[in-house]
PDB file of all heavy atoms in Angstrom:
ATOM      1  N   GLY A   1     121.881 -25.767  36.293  1.00  0.00           N
ATOM      2  CA  GLY A   1     121.026 -24.638  35.877  1.00  0.00           C
ATOM      3  C   GLY A   1     120.046 -24.300  36.964  1.00  0.00           C
ATOM      4  O   GLY A   1     119.168 -25.117  37.283  1.00  0.00           O
ATOM      5  N   LEU A   2     120.201 -23.136  37.546  1.00  0.00           N
ATOM      6  CA  LEU A   2     119.460 -22.795  38.767  1.00  0.00           C
ATOM      7  C   LEU A   2     117.931 -22.818  38.515  1.00  0.00           C
ATOM      8  O   LEU A   2     117.186 -23.330  39.354  1.00  0.00           O
ATOM      9  CB  LEU A   2     119.899 -21.407  39.253  1.00  0.00           C
ATOM     10  CG  LEU A   2     119.544 -21.043  40.709  1.00  0.00           C
ATOM     11  CD1 LEU A   2     120.151 -22.067  41.674  1.00  0.00           C
ATOM     12  CD2 LEU A   2     120.032 -19.666  41.058  1.00  0.00           C
ATOM     13  N   LEU A   3     117.499 -22.274  37.411  1.00  0.00           N
ATOM     14  CA  LEU A   3     116.048 -22.224  37.152  1.00  0.00           C
ATOM     15  C   LEU A   3     115.441 -23.616  37.022  1.00  0.00           C
ATOM     16  O   LEU A   3     114.430 -23.907  37.652  1.00  0.00           O
ATOM     17  CB  LEU A   3     115.789 -21.433  35.859  1.00  0.00           C
ATOM     18  CG  LEU A   3     114.332 -21.289  35.428  1.00  0.00           C
ATOM     19  CD1 LEU A   3     113.505 -20.604  36.515  1.00  0.00           C
ATOM     20  CD2 LEU A   3     114.214 -20.558  34.108  1.00  0.00           C
ATOM     21  N   VAL A   4     116.087 -24.447  36.226  1.00  0.00           N
ATOM     22  CA  VAL A   4     115.554 -25.817  35.998  1.00  0.00           C
ATOM     23  C   VAL A   4     115.628 -26.642  37.298  1.00  0.00           C
ATOM     24  O   VAL A   4     114.672 -27.325  37.672  1.00  0.00           O
ATOM     25  CB  VAL A   4     116.349 -26.517  34.890  1.00  0.00           C
ATOM     26  CG1 VAL A   4     115.934 -27.984  34.795  1.00  0.00           C
ATOM     27  CG2 VAL A   4     116.071 -25.844  33.526  1.00  0.00           C
ATOM     28  N   MET A   5     116.750 -26.567  37.990  1.00  0.00           N
ATOM     29  CA  MET A   5     116.915 -27.345  39.230  1.00  0.00           C
ATOM     30  C   MET A   5     115.941 -26.922  40.304  1.00  0.00           C
ATOM     31  O   MET A   5     115.383 -27.758  41.035  1.00  0.00           O
ATOM     32  CB  MET A   5     118.362 -27.216  39.711  1.00  0.00           C
ATOM     33  CG  MET A   5     119.400 -27.807  38.771  1.00  0.00           C
ATOM     34  SD  MET A   5     119.296 -29.627  38.662  1.00  0.00           S
ATOM     35  CE  MET A   5     120.050 -30.087  40.204  1.00  0.00           C
ATOM     36  N   CYS A   6     115.709 -25.600  40.436  1.00  0.00           N
ATOM     37  CA  CYS A   6     114.734 -25.138  41.446  1.00  0.00           C
ATOM     38  C   CYS A   6     113.297 -25.562  41.067  1.00  0.00           C
ATOM     39  O   CYS A   6     112.496 -25.903  41.920  1.00  0.00           O
ATOM     40  CB  CYS A   6     114.784 -23.614  41.559  1.00  0.00           C
ATOM     41  SG  CYS A   6     116.260 -23.017  42.413  1.00  0.00           S
ATOM     42  N   SER A   7     113.015 -25.593  39.768  1.00  0.00           N
ATOM     43  CA  SER A   7     111.686 -26.061  39.305  1.00  0.00           C
ATOM     44  C   SER A   7     111.494 -27.546  39.637  1.00  0.00           C
ATOM     45  O   SER A   7     110.413 -27.943  40.107  1.00  0.00           O
ATOM     46  CB  SER A   7     111.554 -25.830  37.811  1.00  0.00           C
ATOM     47  OG  SER A   7     111.649 -24.464  37.484  1.00  0.00           O
ATOM     48  N   ILE A   8     112.537 -28.324  39.422  1.00  0.00           N
ATOM     49  CA  ILE A   8     112.453 -29.776  39.753  1.00  0.00           C
ATOM     50  C   ILE A   8     112.337 -29.953  41.258  1.00  0.00           C
ATOM     51  O   ILE A   8     111.576 -30.799  41.742  1.00  0.00           O
ATOM     52  CB  ILE A   8     113.656 -30.531  39.213  1.00  0.00           C
ATOM     53  CG1 ILE A   8     113.715 -30.453  37.665  1.00  0.00           C
ATOM     54  CG2 ILE A   8     113.619 -32.018  39.642  1.00  0.00           C
ATOM     55  CD1 ILE A   8     114.950 -31.046  37.075  1.00  0.00           C
ATOM     56  N   LEU A   9     113.043 -29.138  42.016  1.00  0.00           N
ATOM     57  CA  LEU A   9     113.003 -29.210  43.469  1.00  0.00           C
ATOM     58  C   LEU A   9     111.599 -28.889  43.987  1.00  0.00           C
ATOM     59  O   LEU A   9     111.095 -29.549  44.886  1.00  0.00           O
ATOM     60  CB  LEU A   9     114.020 -28.238  44.106  1.00  0.00           C
ATOM     61  CG  LEU A   9     114.038 -28.210  45.639  1.00  0.00           C
ATOM     62  CD1 LEU A   9     114.416 -29.568  46.230  1.00  0.00           C
ATOM     63  CD2 LEU A   9     114.996 -27.123  46.124  1.00  0.00           C
ATOM     64  N   PHE A  10     110.994 -27.864  43.422  1.00  0.00           N
ATOM     65  CA  PHE A  10     109.595 -27.517  43.763  1.00  0.00           C
ATOM     66  C   PHE A  10     108.667 -28.686  43.475  1.00  0.00           C
ATOM     67  O   PHE A  10     107.789 -29.022  44.275  1.00  0.00           O
ATOM     68  CB  PHE A  10     109.166 -26.270  43.014  1.00  0.00           C
ATOM     69  CG  PHE A  10     107.689 -25.939  43.210  1.00  0.00           C
ATOM     70  CD1 PHE A  10     107.293 -25.323  44.384  1.00  0.00           C
ATOM     71  CD2 PHE A  10     106.765 -26.262  42.265  1.00  0.00           C
ATOM     72  CE1 PHE A  10     105.944 -25.010  44.588  1.00  0.00           C
ATOM     73  CE2 PHE A  10     105.416 -25.961  42.447  1.00  0.00           C
ATOM     74  CZ  PHE A  10     105.011 -25.325  43.619  1.00  0.00           C
ATOM     75  N   THR A  11     108.862 -29.341  42.326  1.00  0.00           N
ATOM     76  CA  THR A  11     108.044 -30.493  41.962  1.00  0.00           C
ATOM     77  C   THR A  11     108.241 -31.619  42.960  1.00  0.00           C
ATOM     78  O   THR A  11     107.282 -32.299  43.351  1.00  0.00           O
ATOM     79  CB  THR A  11     108.405 -30.980  40.551  1.00  0.00           C
ATOM     80  OG1 THR A  11     108.274 -29.909  39.633  1.00  0.00           O
ATOM     81  CG2 THR A  11     107.523 -32.122  40.106  1.00  0.00           C
ATOM     82  N   LEU A  12     109.469 -31.828  43.400  1.00  0.00           N
ATOM     83  CA  LEU A  12     109.806 -32.876  44.342  1.00  0.00           C
ATOM     84  C   LEU A  12     109.144 -32.586  45.710  1.00  0.00           C
ATOM     85  O   LEU A  12     108.559 -33.486  46.314  1.00  0.00           O
ATOM     86  CB  LEU A  12     111.312 -32.997  44.519  1.00  0.00           C
ATOM     87  CG  LEU A  12     111.814 -33.979  45.575  1.00  0.00           C
ATOM     88  CD1 LEU A  12     111.336 -35.420  45.238  1.00  0.00           C
ATOM     89  CD2 LEU A  12     113.317 -33.969  45.689  1.00  0.00           C
ATOM     90  N   ILE A  13     109.245 -31.344  46.162  1.00  0.00           N
ATOM     91  CA  ILE A  13     108.643 -30.974  47.462  1.00  0.00           C
ATOM     92  C   ILE A  13     107.110 -31.124  47.411  1.00  0.00           C
ATOM     93  O   ILE A  13     106.517 -31.674  48.370  1.00  0.00           O
ATOM     94  CB  ILE A  13     109.017 -29.528  47.806  1.00  0.00           C
ATOM     95  CG1 ILE A  13     110.522 -29.419  48.096  1.00  0.00           C
ATOM     96  CG2 ILE A  13     108.234 -29.038  49.018  1.00  0.00           C
ATOM     97  CD1 ILE A  13     111.007 -28.000  48.274  1.00  0.00           C
ATOM     98  N   LEU A  14     106.514 -30.708  46.337  1.00  0.00           N
ATOM     99  CA  LEU A  14     105.061 -30.877  46.159  1.00  0.00           C
ATOM    100  C   LEU A  14     104.692 -32.352  46.178  1.00  0.00           C
ATOM    101  O   LEU A  14     103.717 -32.768  46.841  1.00  0.00           O
ATOM    102  CB  LEU A  14     104.620 -30.226  44.854  1.00  0.00           C
ATOM    103  CG  LEU A  14     103.145 -30.394  44.491  1.00  0.00           C
ATOM    104  CD1 LEU A  14     102.236 -29.753  45.520  1.00  0.00           C
ATOM    105  CD2 LEU A  14     102.842 -29.814  43.108  1.00  0.00           C
ATOM    106  N   SER A  15     105.452 -33.161  45.498  1.00  0.00           N
ATOM    107  CA  SER A  15     105.187 -34.619  45.449  1.00  0.00           C
ATOM    108  C   SER A  15     105.335 -35.277  46.816  1.00  0.00           C
ATOM    109  O   SER A  15     104.496 -36.077  47.209  1.00  0.00           O
ATOM    110  CB  SER A  15     106.127 -35.293  44.446  1.00  0.00           C
ATOM    111  OG  SER A  15     105.985 -34.754  43.155  1.00  0.00           O
ATOM    112  N   ILE A  16     106.370 -34.880  47.555  1.00  0.00           N
ATOM    113  CA  ILE A  16     106.589 -35.439  48.891  1.00  0.00           C
ATOM    114  C   ILE A  16     105.441 -35.062  49.810  1.00  0.00           C
ATOM    115  O   ILE A  16     104.975 -35.868  50.617  1.00  0.00           O
ATOM    116  CB  ILE A  16     107.933 -34.994  49.471  1.00  0.00           C
ATOM    117  CG1 ILE A  16     109.085 -35.659  48.674  1.00  0.00           C
ATOM    118  CG2 ILE A  16     108.040 -35.328  50.941  1.00  0.00           C
ATOM    119  CD1 ILE A  16     110.453 -35.193  49.066  1.00  0.00           C
ATOM    120  N   ALA A  17     104.967 -33.814  49.704  1.00  0.00           N
ATOM    121  CA  ALA A  17     103.844 -33.365  50.517  1.00  0.00           C
ATOM    122  C   ALA A  17     102.609 -34.208  50.234  1.00  0.00           C
ATOM    123  O   ALA A  17     101.874 -34.623  51.162  1.00  0.00           O
ATOM    124  CB  ALA A  17     103.552 -31.880  50.255  1.00  0.00           C
ATOM    125  N   ILE A  18     102.334 -34.486  48.941  1.00  0.00           N
ATOM    126  CA  ILE A  18     101.212 -35.303  48.576  1.00  0.00           C
ATOM    127  C   ILE A  18     101.350 -36.726  49.094  1.00  0.00           C
ATOM    128  O   ILE A  18     100.421 -37.330  49.657  1.00  0.00           O
ATOM    129  CB  ILE A  18     101.041 -35.320  47.042  1.00  0.00           C
ATOM    130  CG1 ILE A  18     100.653 -33.954  46.507  1.00  0.00           C
ATOM    131  CG2 ILE A  18      99.985 -36.370  46.613  1.00  0.00           C
ATOM    132  CD1 ILE A  18     100.665 -33.848  45.001  1.00  0.00           C
ATOM    133  N   ILE A  19     102.557 -37.269  48.959  1.00  0.00           N
ATOM    134  CA  ILE A  19     102.827 -38.648  49.409  1.00  0.00           C
ATOM    135  C   ILE A  19     102.628 -38.784  50.898  1.00  0.00           C
ATOM    136  O   ILE A  19     101.950 -39.723  51.358  1.00  0.00           O
ATOM    137  CB  ILE A  19     104.265 -39.069  49.011  1.00  0.00           C
ATOM    138  CG1 ILE A  19     104.410 -39.181  47.505  1.00  0.00           C
ATOM    139  CG2 ILE A  19     104.642 -40.394  49.676  1.00  0.00           C
ATOM    140  CD1 ILE A  19     105.840 -39.261  46.995  1.00  0.00           C
ATOM    141  N   VAL A  20     103.191 -37.862  51.669  1.00  0.00           N
ATOM    142  CA  VAL A  20     103.067 -37.930  53.134  1.00  0.00           C
ATOM    143  C   VAL A  20     101.609 -37.825  53.575  1.00  0.00           C
ATOM    144  O   VAL A  20     101.133 -38.609  54.412  1.00  0.00           O
ATOM    145  CB  VAL A  20     103.910 -36.811  53.796  1.00  0.00           C
ATOM    146  CG1 VAL A  20     103.603 -36.723  55.303  1.00  0.00           C
ATOM    147  CG2 VAL A  20     105.390 -37.051  53.572  1.00  0.00           C
ATOM    148  N   GLU A  21     100.879 -36.890  52.981  1.00  0.00           N
ATOM    149  CA  GLU A  21      99.469 -36.706  53.331  1.00  0.00           C
ATOM    150  C   GLU A  21      98.642 -37.960  52.996  1.00  0.00           C
ATOM    151  O   GLU A  21      97.834 -38.419  53.792  1.00  0.00           O
ATOM    152  CB  GLU A  21      98.905 -35.494  52.575  1.00  0.00           C
ATOM    153  CG  GLU A  21      97.497 -35.086  52.964  1.00  0.00           C
ATOM    154  CD  GLU A  21      96.416 -35.763  52.162  1.00  0.00           C
ATOM    155  OE1 GLU A  21      96.707 -36.253  51.045  1.00  0.00           O
ATOM    156  OE2 GLU A  21      95.255 -35.823  52.622  1.00  0.00           O
ATOM    157  N   ARG A  22      98.883 -38.536  51.809  1.00  0.00           N
ATOM    158  CA  ARG A  22      98.146 -39.716  51.398  1.00  0.00           C
ATOM    159  C   ARG A  22      98.481 -40.938  52.248  1.00  0.00           C
ATOM    160  O   ARG A  22      97.608 -41.719  52.592  1.00  0.00           O
ATOM    161  CB  ARG A  22      98.426 -40.031  49.918  1.00  0.00           C
ATOM    162  CG  ARG A  22      97.830 -39.067  48.936  1.00  0.00           C
ATOM    163  CD  ARG A  22      96.305 -39.236  48.818  1.00  0.00           C
ATOM    164  NE  ARG A  22      95.554 -38.490  49.803  1.00  0.00           N
ATOM    165  CZ  ARG A  22      94.286 -38.690  50.089  1.00  0.00           C
ATOM    166  NH1 ARG A  22      93.601 -39.609  49.456  1.00  0.00           N
ATOM    167  NH2 ARG A  22      93.682 -37.959  51.004  1.00  0.00           N
ATOM    168  N   VAL A  23      99.735 -41.098  52.569  1.00  0.00           N
ATOM    169  CA  VAL A  23     100.154 -42.237  53.410  1.00  0.00           C
ATOM    170  C   VAL A  23      99.492 -42.157  54.769  1.00  0.00           C
ATOM    171  O   VAL A  23      98.960 -43.147  55.293  1.00  0.00           O
ATOM    172  CB  VAL A  23     101.700 -42.305  53.526  1.00  0.00           C
ATOM    173  CG1 VAL A  23     102.123 -43.249  54.647  1.00  0.00           C
ATOM    174  CG2 VAL A  23     102.329 -42.722  52.202  1.00  0.00           C
ATOM    175  N   ILE A  24      99.531 -40.975  55.385  1.00  0.00           N
ATOM    176  CA  ILE A  24      98.920 -40.819  56.700  1.00  0.00           C
ATOM    177  C   ILE A  24      97.421 -41.106  56.633  1.00  0.00           C
ATOM    178  O   ILE A  24      96.855 -41.812  57.463  1.00  0.00           O
ATOM    179  CB  ILE A  24      99.164 -39.385  57.212  1.00  0.00           C
ATOM    180  CG1 ILE A  24     100.669 -39.192  57.535  1.00  0.00           C
ATOM    181  CG2 ILE A  24      98.328 -39.099  58.473  1.00  0.00           C
ATOM    182  CD1 ILE A  24     101.038 -37.789  57.923  1.00  0.00           C
ATOM    183  N   ARG A  25      96.765 -40.539  55.615  1.00  0.00           N
ATOM    184  CA  ARG A  25      95.318 -40.730  55.477  1.00  0.00           C
ATOM    185  C   ARG A  25      94.950 -42.188  55.242  1.00  0.00           C
ATOM    186  O   ARG A  25      94.084 -42.750  55.915  1.00  0.00           O
ATOM    187  CB  ARG A  25      94.813 -39.872  54.317  1.00  0.00           C
ATOM    188  CG  ARG A  25      94.872 -38.395  54.542  1.00  0.00           C
ATOM    189  CD  ARG A  25      93.791 -37.895  55.441  1.00  0.00           C
ATOM    190  NE  ARG A  25      93.821 -36.439  55.542  1.00  0.00           N
ATOM    191  CZ  ARG A  25      93.019 -35.741  56.297  1.00  0.00           C
ATOM    192  NH1 ARG A  25      92.110 -36.339  57.048  1.00  0.00           N
ATOM    193  NH2 ARG A  25      93.090 -34.424  56.332  1.00  0.00           N
ATOM    194  N   MET A  26      95.617 -42.816  54.273  1.00  0.00           N
ATOM    195  CA  MET A  26      95.238 -44.149  53.872  1.00  0.00           C
ATOM    196  C   MET A  26      95.580 -45.222  54.919  1.00  0.00           C
ATOM    197  O   MET A  26      94.839 -46.152  55.123  1.00  0.00           O
ATOM    198  CB  MET A  26      95.867 -44.498  52.536  1.00  0.00           C
ATOM    199  CG  MET A  26      95.295 -43.755  51.366  1.00  0.00           C
ATOM    200  SD  MET A  26      95.826 -44.425  49.772  1.00  0.00           S
ATOM    201  CE  MET A  26      95.083 -43.276  48.631  1.00  0.00           C
ATOM    202  N   TRP A  27      96.743 -45.093  55.534  1.00  0.00           N
ATOM    203  CA  TRP A  27      97.188 -46.136  56.460  1.00  0.00           C
ATOM    204  C   TRP A  27      96.688 -45.930  57.882  1.00  0.00           C
ATOM    205  O   TRP A  27      96.513 -46.919  58.609  1.00  0.00           O
ATOM    206  CB  TRP A  27      98.692 -46.236  56.464  1.00  0.00           C
ATOM    207  CG  TRP A  27      99.224 -47.218  55.461  1.00  0.00           C
ATOM    208  CD1 TRP A  27      99.535 -48.537  55.690  1.00  0.00           C
ATOM    209  CD2 TRP A  27      99.512 -47.007  54.074  1.00  0.00           C
ATOM    210  NE1 TRP A  27      99.970 -49.139  54.536  1.00  0.00           N
ATOM    211  CE2 TRP A  27      99.972 -48.226  53.530  1.00  0.00           C
ATOM    212  CE3 TRP A  27      99.411 -45.895  53.247  1.00  0.00           C
ATOM    213  CZ2 TRP A  27     100.348 -48.355  52.207  1.00  0.00           C
ATOM    214  CZ3 TRP A  27      99.770 -46.007  51.925  1.00  0.00           C
ATOM    215  CH2 TRP A  27     100.245 -47.225  51.394  1.00  0.00           C
ATOM    216  N   THR A  28      96.443 -44.696  58.306  1.00  0.00           N
ATOM    217  CA  THR A  28      96.075 -44.466  59.711  1.00  0.00           C
ATOM    218  C   THR A  28      94.631 -43.960  59.890  1.00  0.00           C
ATOM    219  O   THR A  28      94.130 -44.016  61.016  1.00  0.00           O
ATOM    220  CB  THR A  28      97.037 -43.470  60.374  1.00  0.00           C
ATOM    221  OG1 THR A  28      96.874 -42.164  59.765  1.00  0.00           O
ATOM    222  CG2 THR A  28      98.469 -43.925  60.227  1.00  0.00           C
ATOM    223  N   HIS A  29      94.011 -43.465  58.816  1.00  0.00           N
ATOM    224  CA  HIS A  29      92.653 -42.923  58.952  1.00  0.00           C
ATOM    225  C   HIS A  29      91.608 -43.767  58.197  1.00  0.00           C
ATOM    226  O   HIS A  29      90.633 -44.222  58.805  1.00  0.00           O
ATOM    227  CB  HIS A  29      92.588 -41.488  58.455  1.00  0.00           C
ATOM    228  CG  HIS A  29      93.303 -40.502  59.317  1.00  0.00           C
ATOM    229  ND1 HIS A  29      94.692 -40.406  59.364  1.00  0.00           N
ATOM    230  CD2 HIS A  29      92.838 -39.565  60.186  1.00  0.00           C
ATOM    231  CE1 HIS A  29      95.018 -39.459  60.215  1.00  0.00           C
ATOM    232  NE2 HIS A  29      93.950 -38.949  60.736  1.00  0.00           N
ATOM    233  N   TYR A  30      91.816 -43.964  56.922  1.00  0.00           N
ATOM    234  CA  TYR A  30      90.798 -44.553  56.083  1.00  0.00           C
ATOM    235  C   TYR A  30      90.750 -46.065  56.156  1.00  0.00           C
ATOM    236  O   TYR A  30      89.675 -46.672  56.060  1.00  0.00           O
ATOM    237  CB  TYR A  30      91.023 -44.143  54.604  1.00  0.00           C
ATOM    238  CG  TYR A  30      90.911 -42.661  54.330  1.00  0.00           C
ATOM    239  CD1 TYR A  30      91.575 -42.082  53.272  1.00  0.00           C
ATOM    240  CD2 TYR A  30      90.154 -41.862  55.172  1.00  0.00           C
ATOM    241  CE1 TYR A  30      91.491 -40.721  53.025  1.00  0.00           C
ATOM    242  CE2 TYR A  30      90.065 -40.489  54.953  1.00  0.00           C
ATOM    243  CZ  TYR A  30      90.729 -39.919  53.867  1.00  0.00           C
ATOM    244  OH  TYR A  30      90.617 -38.585  53.610  1.00  0.00           O
ATOM    245  N   ASP A  31      91.890 -46.736  56.291  1.00  0.00           N
ATOM    246  CA  ASP A  31      91.936 -48.191  56.261  1.00  0.00           C
ATOM    247  C   ASP A  31      91.491 -48.752  57.609  1.00  0.00           C
ATOM    248  O   ASP A  31      91.685 -48.169  58.667  1.00  0.00           O
ATOM    249  CB  ASP A  31      93.356 -48.659  55.945  1.00  0.00           C
ATOM    250  CG  ASP A  31      93.402 -50.144  55.658  1.00  0.00           C
ATOM    251  OD1 ASP A  31      92.399 -50.704  55.190  1.00  0.00           O
ATOM    252  OD2 ASP A  31      94.452 -50.780  55.916  1.00  0.00           O
ATOM    253  N   LEU A  32      90.903 -49.942  57.543  1.00  0.00           N
ATOM    254  CA  LEU A  32      90.547 -50.683  58.758  1.00  0.00           C
ATOM    255  C   LEU A  32      91.224 -52.043  58.644  1.00  0.00           C
ATOM    256  O   LEU A  32      90.756 -52.951  57.967  1.00  0.00           O
ATOM    257  CB  LEU A  32      89.021 -50.853  58.838  1.00  0.00           C
ATOM    258  CG  LEU A  32      88.469 -51.430  60.124  1.00  0.00           C
ATOM    259  CD1 LEU A  32      88.791 -50.522  61.342  1.00  0.00           C
ATOM    260  CD2 LEU A  32      86.969 -51.651  60.041  1.00  0.00           C
ATOM    261  N   SER A  33      92.329 -52.184  59.380  1.00  0.00           N
ATOM    262  CA  SER A  33      93.151 -53.377  59.232  1.00  0.00           C
ATOM    263  C   SER A  33      92.440 -54.642  59.761  1.00  0.00           C
ATOM    264  O   SER A  33      92.640 -55.734  59.254  1.00  0.00           O
ATOM    265  CB  SER A  33      94.466 -53.199  60.018  1.00  0.00           C
ATOM    266  OG  SER A  33      94.212 -52.911  61.388  1.00  0.00           O
ATOM    267  N   ASN A  34      91.582 -54.480  60.744  1.00  0.00           N
ATOM    268  CA  ASN A  34      90.844 -55.648  61.302  1.00  0.00           C
ATOM    269  C   ASN A  34      89.395 -55.647  60.773  1.00  0.00           C
ATOM    270  O   ASN A  34      88.470 -55.821  61.580  1.00  0.00           O
ATOM    271  CB  ASN A  34      90.881 -55.612  62.826  1.00  0.00           C
ATOM    272  CG  ASN A  34      90.313 -54.322  63.408  1.00  0.00           C
ATOM    273  OD1 ASN A  34      90.237 -53.322  62.712  1.00  0.00           O
ATOM    274  ND2 ASN A  34      89.876 -54.395  64.657  1.00  0.00           N
ATOM    275  N   SER A  35      89.228 -55.460  59.494  1.00  0.00           N
ATOM    276  CA  SER A  35      87.885 -55.367  58.927  1.00  0.00           C
ATOM    277  C   SER A  35      87.091 -56.666  59.109  1.00  0.00           C
ATOM    278  O   SER A  35      85.860 -56.613  59.304  1.00  0.00           O
ATOM    279  CB  SER A  35      87.978 -55.004  57.457  1.00  0.00           C
ATOM    280  OG  SER A  35      88.719 -55.978  56.729  1.00  0.00           O
ATOM    281  N   LYS A  36      87.761 -57.802  59.041  1.00  0.00           N
ATOM    282  CA  LYS A  36      87.054 -59.075  59.208  1.00  0.00           C
ATOM    283  C   LYS A  36      86.507 -59.223  60.617  1.00  0.00           C
ATOM    284  O   LYS A  36      85.385 -59.697  60.832  1.00  0.00           O
ATOM    285  CB  LYS A  36      87.981 -60.253  58.877  1.00  0.00           C
ATOM    286  CG  LYS A  36      88.321 -60.356  57.373  1.00  0.00           C
ATOM    287  CD  LYS A  36      89.159 -61.538  57.082  1.00  0.00           C
ATOM    288  CE  LYS A  36      89.468 -61.650  55.569  1.00  0.00           C
ATOM    289  NZ  LYS A  36      90.263 -62.832  55.230  1.00  0.00           N
ATOM    290  N   GLU A  37      87.321 -58.826  61.589  1.00  0.00           N
ATOM    291  CA  GLU A  37      86.873 -58.850  63.002  1.00  0.00           C
ATOM    292  C   GLU A  37      85.697 -57.896  63.197  1.00  0.00           C
ATOM    293  O   GLU A  37      84.722 -58.202  63.875  1.00  0.00           O
ATOM    294  CB  GLU A  37      88.038 -58.456  63.894  1.00  0.00           C
ATOM    295  CG  GLU A  37      87.695 -58.446  65.389  1.00  0.00           C
ATOM    296  CD  GLU A  37      88.862 -58.026  66.237  1.00  0.00           C
ATOM    297  OE1 GLU A  37      89.999 -58.094  65.764  1.00  0.00           O
ATOM    298  OE2 GLU A  37      88.620 -57.593  67.376  1.00  0.00           O
ATOM    299  N   PHE A  38      85.803 -56.706  62.594  1.00  0.00           N
ATOM    300  CA  PHE A  38      84.736 -55.724  62.672  1.00  0.00           C
ATOM    301  C   PHE A  38      83.442 -56.269  62.090  1.00  0.00           C
ATOM    302  O   PHE A  38      82.366 -56.166  62.710  1.00  0.00           O
ATOM    303  CB  PHE A  38      85.175 -54.447  61.938  1.00  0.00           C
ATOM    304  CG  PHE A  38      84.054 -53.495  61.647  1.00  0.00           C
ATOM    305  CD1 PHE A  38      83.508 -52.738  62.663  1.00  0.00           C
ATOM    306  CD2 PHE A  38      83.546 -53.359  60.366  1.00  0.00           C
ATOM    307  CE1 PHE A  38      82.459 -51.851  62.412  1.00  0.00           C
ATOM    308  CE2 PHE A  38      82.527 -52.478  60.104  1.00  0.00           C
ATOM    309  CZ  PHE A  38      81.965 -51.731  61.101  1.00  0.00           C
ATOM    310  N   MET A  39      83.539 -56.869  60.906  1.00  0.00           N
ATOM    311  CA  MET A  39      82.334 -57.423  60.262  1.00  0.00           C
ATOM    312  C   MET A  39      81.771 -58.609  61.028  1.00  0.00           C
ATOM    313  O   MET A  39      80.568 -58.865  61.023  1.00  0.00           O
ATOM    314  CB  MET A  39      82.641 -57.799  58.823  1.00  0.00           C
ATOM    315  CG  MET A  39      82.772 -56.626  57.861  1.00  0.00           C
ATOM    316  SD  MET A  39      81.306 -55.524  57.848  1.00  0.00           S
ATOM    317  CE  MET A  39      80.047 -56.638  57.221  1.00  0.00           C
ATOM    318  N   GLY A  40      82.651 -59.330  61.743  1.00  0.00           N
ATOM    319  CA  GLY A  40      82.166 -60.405  62.582  1.00  0.00           C
ATOM    320  C   GLY A  40      81.285 -59.881  63.701  1.00  0.00           C
ATOM    321  O   GLY A  40      80.238 -60.466  64.023  1.00  0.00           O
TER     322      GLY A  40
END
């Protein structure tokens, strides 16, 4: 069903966009992997 499948596809694309943005932000911007060294 073209209408339903396109709606699900839109939902999937939106979700992937959110996932990619959050992964980049959390793992490469917000997180500090060497926090113990920093606090030292």
